């Protein structure tokens, strides 16, 4: 490839990077606007039309970014969520599996929220709305099959040879327990810190509590 081709490739990469930054900025602006409106007026009193009008974007753009009204609050879509959890969970053989999965899910939620202040306000909006809180629980349930597969993958990589039905049932139980931990962690963080997104310390505390539960 000649010098001209190299220059064209660099220009294309720069253009792609600029588009990605513009997209991220537009997405962040929509998120901030939606969260502010819901905190001020309540979830039921805010429509997609209202959010789009405030941000001067089309409904098509909104749904391309978030898929649904609740999507602007709930976090990563399933495929991205699975990949984010897998990166932290699969190599983490030194942590008990329930805590490890719970920590990976919380980490993935944080990864989907690059702005901690916005993430905290989003969580405040979710906790203030029974409908949004229910949607968040449904959203977590949608990930259960993928997370169960990840637990089985981790067991298999560790050389655990069990009969397939028992292995699947155990993996499903791990996921149920881990998601329960995540829900409690997020609820407790909201009660104690209102609109501050949880940090690593809250998972260390969850680990202590889990140790007490299993030891008893």
């Amino acid at each position: 490839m000649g010098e001209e081709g190299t220059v064209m490739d660099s220009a294309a990469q720069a253009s792609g990077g600029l588009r990605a930054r513009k997209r991220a900025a537009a997405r962040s602006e929509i998120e901030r606007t939606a969260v502010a409106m819901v905190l001020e007026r309540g979830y039921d009193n805010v429509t997609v039309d209202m959010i789009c009008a405030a941000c001067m974007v089309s409904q098509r753009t909104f749904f391309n970014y978030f898929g649904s009204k609740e999507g602007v609050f709930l976090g990563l879509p399933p495929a991205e969520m699975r990949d984010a959890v897998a990166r932290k969970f699969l190599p983490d053989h030194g942590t008990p599996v329930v805590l490890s999965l719970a920590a990976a899910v919380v980490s993935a939620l944080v990864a989907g929220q690059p702005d901690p202040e916005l993430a905290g306000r989003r969580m405040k909006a979710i906790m203030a709305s029974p409908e949004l809180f229910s949607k968040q629980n449904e959203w977590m349930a949608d990930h259960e099959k993928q997370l169960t597969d990840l637990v089985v993958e981790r067991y298999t990589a560790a050389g655990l040879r069990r009969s397939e039905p028992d292995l699947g049932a155990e993996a499903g139980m791990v996921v149920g327990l881990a998601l329960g931990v995540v829900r409690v962690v997020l609820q407790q963080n909201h009660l104690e810190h209102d609109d501050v997104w949880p940090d690593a310390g809250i998972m260390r505390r969850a680990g202590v509590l889990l140790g007490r539960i299993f030891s008893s």
Side-chain angles (χ1 to χ4, degrees), residues 24 27-36 38-39 43 66 69-76 108-129 132-133 136 139 186 189-190 194-198:
R27 182 185 178 100
S28 177
E29 177 62 24
I30 295 170
E31 289 174 330
R32 285 182 173 278
T33 301
V35 168
V38 165
L39 286 175
Y43 182 73
F66 304 108
K69 178 185 171 184
E70 63 268 18
V72 74
F73 300 94
L74 297 184
L76 295 171
L109 290 171
V110 174
Q113 317 291 343
D115 182 338
E117 179 186 357
L118 174 60
R121 287 172 58 79
R122 179 187 281 111
M123 184 54 58
K124 184 176 181 179
I126 291 172
M127 294 299 178
S129 166
L132 261 182
F133 185 68
Q136 185 189 57
W139 175 80
L186 294 180
N189 184 80
H190 172 69
D194 193 22
D195 58 355
V196 177
W197 190 247

Side-chain angles (χ1 to χ4, degrees), residues 3 15 76 78 89 110 112 120 125 132 134 161 175 199 214:
E3 182 178 344
S15 176
L76 295 171
F89 173 67
V110 174
L132 261 182
S134 176
R161 298 288 185 248
V175 172
D199 59 18
F214 287 125

